[in-house]
Amino acid sequence: MLHQERTADAGRDEVFQVEGHGIDPIPDAERHGGAKDLFWLWFGSNLTFTYVINGALAVAFGLSFWQATAAVVVGGLSFFAISAAGLSGVRTGTATLVISRAAFGVRGNWPAGLLNWIVSIGYTIVNTVVGTLALEALLADLGWAAGGHTARAIALLVTLAMTFAVALWGHATVQFAERWMAYALALGFAALLVFVLPGADTAAPAEGPGAAGWSLAFVVVLAGPISYVPMPADYTRYLPRTTSLKALTWSGGLGGFLSSVALGVAGVAAATQADMTDAVAGAEGLLPNWFQPLFLALILGGSVTNSIITLYSSSLNLQVLGIPWSRSRAIVISAAVTAVGSLGALFLTDFTTSLLAFLSLLIIVFAPWGGVFLADMVLRRCTYDSDALHAGERGGYWYRSGWSPAGTTALLAGMVFAALTCDSELWTGPLVAPLGGADLTLLGALVSAVVYVLLARRTVTPAQP
């Protein structure tokens, strides 16, 4: 059978019905929807408190209100590139980490696929912990639950159930939930902006941030969008082949831009007038008492909307790694690991900080990976041999023993550059000090892209449609 990864229970993509398709190509007859659906997907999934924290960190690195706001806007603009990458899903009808086999080879694609699954689960655990603590505090404020392990366990169960149910149902339900949750979250976060923005201190600090401050701010605001590079086709593979690049780019990009920038600016404003070491407590202190329970509900809702798309993509990721199960069965593995990790973080030991430090370090891999993937997409004009993507050794993307020499070399070059210029809690590259403390990790994407183009420009050509 040509597409060995085709699921046996494939069926129509409908709300509140378990999606049958996984990474198998979506037939034209089952394509539906439009580019406008991507607005709500990226808008809703990025209405998360993480961006408030990112904005506050930019100020902590020494940037003024206007400088930090500019950095936040640059981070938001990157969503247009992420959204444009979704054209690969329209052209092939399959997931991003299947399409990246064209750049790295079937086997060469596997290590990054494994790391991406780890990152997806890691961030899902972090979001679940944040949502659980917010719900626990909300229940206490409402007088519905006393403190202790029982209340926390109830909060964890509810948070996991909200996330898992939507992700299990699949693509159509994910889009439906993101849209309707976005309506409520957008109103709540708009109120948050109204409360914190008027009091912002817009005066410049006595000393500028310097190269180190600017570079760290850009790493923070761009790390979130970059983490989505292995995902965009997961949510465009059902769109009709006639969907245009322009419509995709504007719809999805605008959604991610508006939510990430609005919340980032809220974090910037809050950091100029309160201690944001504990971001939740710092922001809460700027709000009227009556709004504080709603604020906790916003944190919970934002954690769930973000966890939904990472958990859903993780199930496709497992199929790419070779798990011989349907998507709906594979997601149980991701959900179980998320539950165990969340239990450990909440009841046994607080490893959330260490986990975040580890996840942030993986930008050394994913910035260069994204550079190669996007460069390959441009060289091919986003046109692939869809059959070959699933054909293994029999396909044109097997290269040398399953590895692409150009893709592998370019990835390693970008990773070396990123490692040499990375400044994180777990690793400081030897070039950071000579660069005045600047963190140039993100430029690993540019290095890998340039190396890939130089190596592959004569051999990589668009496939025949």
Side-chain angles (χ1 to χ4, degrees):
M1 190 166 136
L2 180 60
H3 299 306
Q4 296 179 1
E5 292 145 325
R6 182 179 296 281
T7 55
D9 58 340
R12 295 189 61 82
D13 181 41
E14 297 180 355
V15 177
F16 301 130
Q17 292 188 19
V18 176
E19 176 193 3
H21 285 294
I23 61 173
D24 54 297
I26 308 300
D28 288 345
E30 297 182 32
R31 304 285 191 100
H32 62 88
K36 64 181 182 298
D37 297 329
L38 296 178
F39 173 86
W40 294 108
L41 177 83
W42 292 111
F43 181 72
S45 62
N46 286 286
L47 285 170
T48 172
F49 193 72
T50 301
Y51 290 103
V52 176
I53 298 173
N54 291 347
L57 284 173
V59 175
F61 294 141
L63 275 65
S64 69
F65 175 86
W66 294 112
Q67 290 171 332
T69 297
V72 166
V73 169
V74 170
L77 289 172
S78 64
F79 275 103
F80 288 95
I82 301 300
S83 189
L87 183 63
S88 59
V90 173
R91 295 279 177 83
T92 62
T94 191
T96 306
L97 282 169
V98 175
I99 300 165
S100 59
R101 290 170 176 171
F104 300 99
V106 176
R107 287 177 174 167
N109 191 56
W110 201 90
L114 176 61
L115 283 176
N116 183 69
W117 182 78
I118 293 172
V119 169
S120 297
I121 295 303
Y123 279 119
T124 306
I125 291 172
V126 171
N127 277 323
T128 300
V129 169
V130 171
T132 298
L133 294 176
L135 180 55
E136 180 186 16
L138 176 61
L139 293 176
D141 285 351
L142 297 175
W144 292 352
H149 289 340
T150 301
R152 181 165 293 185
I154 293 172
L156 174 59
L157 183 62
V158 171
T159 305
L160 285 171
M162 292 170 64
T163 303
F164 176 68
V166 175
L168 175 66
W169 272 317
H171 176 266
T173 311
V174 167
Q175 289 195 319
F176 176 84
E178 294 290 353
R179 176 191 289 266
W180 286 99
M181 292 181 74
Y183 293 154
L185 291 174
L187 289 174
F189 280 118
L192 176 68
L193 266 174
V194 170
F195 291 130
V196 302
L197 200 54
D201 181 4
T202 58
E207 297 182 5
W214 277 108
S215 66
L216 289 171
F218 281 124
V219 167
V220 165
V221 300
L222 288 168
I226 285 177
S227 70
Y228 290 122
V229 173
M231 294 185 190
D234 300 2
Y235 303 100
T236 59
R237 69 195 204 282
Y238 277 95
L239 294 179
R241 292 183 189 273
T242 55
T243 307
S244 70
L245 173 62
K246 181 179 179 181
L248 279 177
T249 303
W250 277 102
S251 296
L254 188 61
F257 175 84
L258 289 177
S259 52
S260 64
V261 170
L263 270 62
V265 171
V268 171
T272 64
Q273 50 191 314
D275 180 7
M276 294 290 283
T277 304
D278 181 341
V280 173
E284 200 171 18
L286 300 174
L287 304 174
N289 291 334
W290 64 267
F291 187 76
Q292 290 177 8
L294 294 177
F295 173 64
L296 295 172
L298 290 176
I299 295 175
L300 169 64
S303 298
V304 170
T305 59
N306 195 260
S307 291
I308 285 171
I309 67 167
T310 54
L311 188 60
Y312 174 80
S313 287
S314 75
S315 64
L316 299 175
N317 199 154
L318 286 173
Q319 287 191 312
V320 174
L321 294 176
I323 299 294
W325 292 355
S326 66
R327 182 207 61 83
S328 56
R329 291 178 63 193
I331 202 172
V332 175
I333 298 176
S334 296
V337 176
T338 298
V340 171
S342 301
L343 282 168
L346 289 165
F347 293 100
L348 300 179
T349 180
D350 181 14
F351 74 99
T352 306
T353 301
S354 299
L355 178 61
L356 280 170
F358 169 70
L359 294 174
S360 65
L361 185 63
L362 290 182
I363 196 172
I364 291 175
V365 177
F366 284 106
W369 186 94
V372 174
F373 174 71
L374 296 175
D376 180 75
M377 192 175 71
V378 172
L379 287 178
R380 297 180 191 277
R381 300 175 190 171
C382 209
T383 305
Y384 302 87
D385 182 341
S386 297
D387 291 339
L389 289 171
H390 299 267
E393 295 183 45
R394 296 174 288 107
Y397 302 128
W398 186 250
Y399 302 112
R400 296 181 184 176
S401 301
W403 297 77
S404 165
T408 303
T409 302
L411 176 62
L412 291 175
M415 287 174 59
V416 168
F417 178 88
L420 291 174
T421 59
C422 175
D423 184 14
S424 70
E425 290 185 30
L426 299 181
W427 167 258
T428 300
L431 296 183
V432 172
L435 290 169
D439 184 335
L440 304 182
T441 312
L442 293 174
L443 291 182
L446 180 61
V447 171
S448 63
V450 170
V451 172
Y452 185 75
V453 169
L454 291 175
L455 294 176
R457 69 184 188 279
R458 295 181 180 178
T459 57
V460 170
T461 57
Q464 292 297 320

